[in-house]
Amino acid sequence: MRKFLTTTAIAAVMMTMGGLAAKAEEGVEVLHWWTSGGEAAALDVLKKDLESKGISWTDMPVAGGGGTEAMTVLRARVTAGNAPTAVQMLGFDILDWAKEGALGNLDEVAAAEGWDKVIPTALQQFSKYDGHWIAAPVNVHSTNWVWINKAALDAAGGKEPANWDELVALLDKFKEQGLTPVAHGGQAWQDATIFDAVVLSFGNDFYKKAFIDLDAETLGGAQMKEAFDRMAKLRSYVDDNFSGRDWNLASAMVIEGKAGLQFMGDWAKGEFIKAGKKPGADFVCMRFPGTQGSVTFNSDQFAMFKVADDKVPAQLKMASAIESPVFQSAFNVVKGSAPARTDVPDTDFDDCGKKAIKDLAEANTNGSLYGSMAHGHANPASVKNAIYDVVTRHFNGELTSEEAVTELAAAVEAAK
Ligand code: BGC
């Protein structure tokens, strides 16, 4: 017997279908450079969180630590009139896109969820433009960290180096053990990441004058020459195959006990954790000698691009999901970073994570929290790239320290 649906039943079926269709369409396309093991594991926390909320994920990964390549691809996409929904971005790059009028507006979610009160002002400087929220901060990383193989440290006497001389002594001991003392990848952003820490180790004022104020005398002065000398010294502890090596492969050298330590931001911890290593037992995290109490930070934010009206609800839901305190804890535990909100308990974080959260809060209170030059939080890309160029040429032996300071001051002056 044939059954006929009543008008009401048909309407109900159609509504359900309409609902399903709308749901299936709700998705985000996300451009990012989180392609290493630890990074991908953290990204998965975000993907799954959104999928559980019915938002599908279109992945647009662009490999390359520090995001240089990702930013090139982004430029091409936007120029072609095809901006992704959300883009992983650092500091001044976000403001540059906002200036171009390319970003959307998150004010509605930010106001409803009280972001102003819980997201530190140091991050808000990059999440807001002209008083409007344009990006959702995911985390706070920092660059002045050292990741040491615990067994190698123990074999060298077990003491964490407290200053430059002790650091050099430790690296010599690693060499005696037959290890590569410093695991490093010769890429401009990695060289610059070490330079962040080396410059900071000469004091907060020096870092601020050099990288925040871009003071020509500081950039071209005697102390900067000493900083370059220290870079040259560290260069003598890397292996012959360092050129072009990805940062996570350098982390793997420490994890596998082939190298003594790595100078790298706390995304390196994500690699150790992914490899099943435990802080305190298998590896040690410490601030670069001489920088304890200070933090050079960078925050990954998802800059939200102007998209078609029908894509905005998913974009706002993504922003809201990112700022949820539960997500902030779950994600940052895996990523190696501290939460982007001040009210997230540190309960689930390991000792390095707890230290990251504590250091950040203290540096913020003491005025010793600075944007990372290497990771786009001290200057716009033009200045950052000018510094990268000099630091890398010097690291590769193309410039003496004397030449490097002269070039640094000149390059920054021309770029600013
Ligand atoms: C980002 C990190 C990332 C690292 C290496 C940094 O600029 O802030 O999230 O893990 O680059 O790719």
Side-chain angles (χ1 to χ4, degrees):
M1 200 177 91
R2 271 179 85 182
K3 280 193 180 162
F4 292 96
L5 293 174
T6 63
T7 324
T8 336
I10 290 171
V13 169
M14 284 178 69
M15 273 175 69
T16 315
M17 282 170 65
L20 283 177
K23 221 176 179 182
E25 271 165 26
E26 208 163 57
V28 287
E29 191 197 359
V30 185
L31 193 153
H32 63 88
W33 65 91
W34 283 335
T35 55
S36 78
E39 291 173 330
L43 190 72
D44 217 42
V45 178
L46 178 57
K47 272 188 206 169
K48 294 225 165 81
D49 188 88
L50 294 185
E51 276 161 13
S52 77
K53 296 179 167 69
I55 302 167
S56 69
W57 178 281
T58 305
D59 206 30
M60 178 83 200
V62 183
T68 312
E69 290 79 2
M71 290 304 102
T72 308
V73 170
L74 173 65
R75 174 63 61 189
R77 289 267 321 240
V78 178
T79 307
N82 184 22
T85 323
V87 180
Q88 177 195 356
M89 220 183 270
L90 298 173
F92 279 87
D93 288 344
I94 305 173
L95 302 181
D96 280 349
W97 281 107
K99 266 181 217 147
E100 289 191 28
L103 302 187
N105 185 317
L106 303 175
D107 286 352
E108 189 189 318
V109 190
E113 299 181 358
W115 291 6
D116 277 300
K117 284 185 241 92
V118 290
I119 294 175
T121 34
L123 302 195
Q124 288 191 32
Q125 283 167 12
F126 301 108
S127 333
K128 278 177 160 180
Y129 183 71
D130 217 2
H132 300 293
W133 284 88
I134 48 171
V138 200
N139 62 16
V140 190
H141 273 303
S142 55
T143 54
N144 57 319
W145 286 105
V146 189
W147 306 91
I148 316 178
N149 180 291
K150 178 74 163 63
L153 181 66
D154 287 346
K159 185 177 180 298
E160 294 175 20
N163 53 42
W164 174 252
D165 290 341
E166 289 184 19
L167 175 64
V168 169
L170 178 65
L171 295 175
D172 285 334
K173 286 193 181 139
F174 287 158
K175 203 185 243 173
E176 284 161 26
Q177 290 176 32
L179 302 176
T180 296
V182 175
H184 182 62
Q187 297 175 344
W189 74 271
Q190 292 189 58
D191 302 340
T193 301
I194 303 187
F195 200 52
D196 260 2
V198 167
V199 169
L200 185 66
S201 72
F202 285 93
N204 292 338
D205 282 353
F206 184 62
Y207 186 92
K208 180 175 175 292
K209 275 196 197 143
F211 291 153
I212 311 290
D213 304 341
L214 300 178
D215 174 59
E217 270 176 39
T218 308
L219 289 166
Q223 201 149 47
M224 192 57 83
K225 184 193 158 285
E226 257 187 85
F228 276 109
D229 284 343
R230 288 189 177 182
M231 291 297 284
K233 181 73 179 162
L234 294 179
R235 164 72 178 80
S236 73
Y237 292 108
V238 310
D239 66 327
D240 290 343
N241 298 322
F242 85 106
S243 191
R245 175 188 288 134
D246 287 331
W247 67 273
N248 52 315
L249 300 181
S251 304
M253 290 166 68
V254 180
I255 291 170
E256 290 161 12
K258 294 179 182 149
L261 59 76
Q262 181 184 24
F263 305 110
M264 189 45 69
D266 39 12
W267 47 90
K269 197 189 77 184
E271 299 305 300
F272 284 84
I273 300 299
K274 184 82 193 358
K277 302 297 178 192
K278 302 261 177 299
D282 305 308
F283 68 95
V284 169
C285 58
M286 62 171 284
R287 292 292 175 180
F288 190 92
T291 71
Q292 181 55 44
S294 306
V295 170
T296 40
F297 81 97
N298 60 300
S299 162
D300 292 299
Q301 309 215 13
F302 279 102
M304 299 298 182
F305 276 74
K306 273 187 186 150
V307 286
D309 286 352
D310 62 336
K311 290 190 178 151
V312 171
Q315 190 177 53
L316 297 182
K317 280 183 196 165
M318 177 177 175
S320 164
I322 287 172
E323 299 314 329
S324 127
V326 172
F327 169 79
Q328 281 283 324
S329 177
F331 176 89
N332 287 303
V333 159
V334 180
K335 186 68 176 64
S337 34
R341 307 174 52 118
T342 50
D343 60 347
V344 177
D346 71 1
T347 331
D348 291 344
F349 289 77
D350 60 31
D351 287 349
C352 298
K354 286 189 167 68
K355 178 170 167 54
I357 294 171
K358 187 163 165 280
D359 286 356
L360 181 65
E362 285 175 4
N364 194 24
T365 314
N366 302 338
S368 48
L369 177 65
Y370 301 104
S372 154
M373 175 280 293
H375 293 265
H377 280 68
N379 306 107
S382 53
V383 173
K384 180 186 86 170
N385 291 332
I387 301 175
Y388 271 22
D389 180 57
V390 178
V391 171
T392 287
R393 283 193 292 140
H394 172 268
F395 201 77
N396 290 328
E398 291 166 31
L399 299 173
T400 63
S401 297
E402 286 83 359
E403 289 164 347
V405 289
T406 310
E407 293 235 2
L408 186 67
V412 167
E413 199 51 41
K416 65 180 187 189

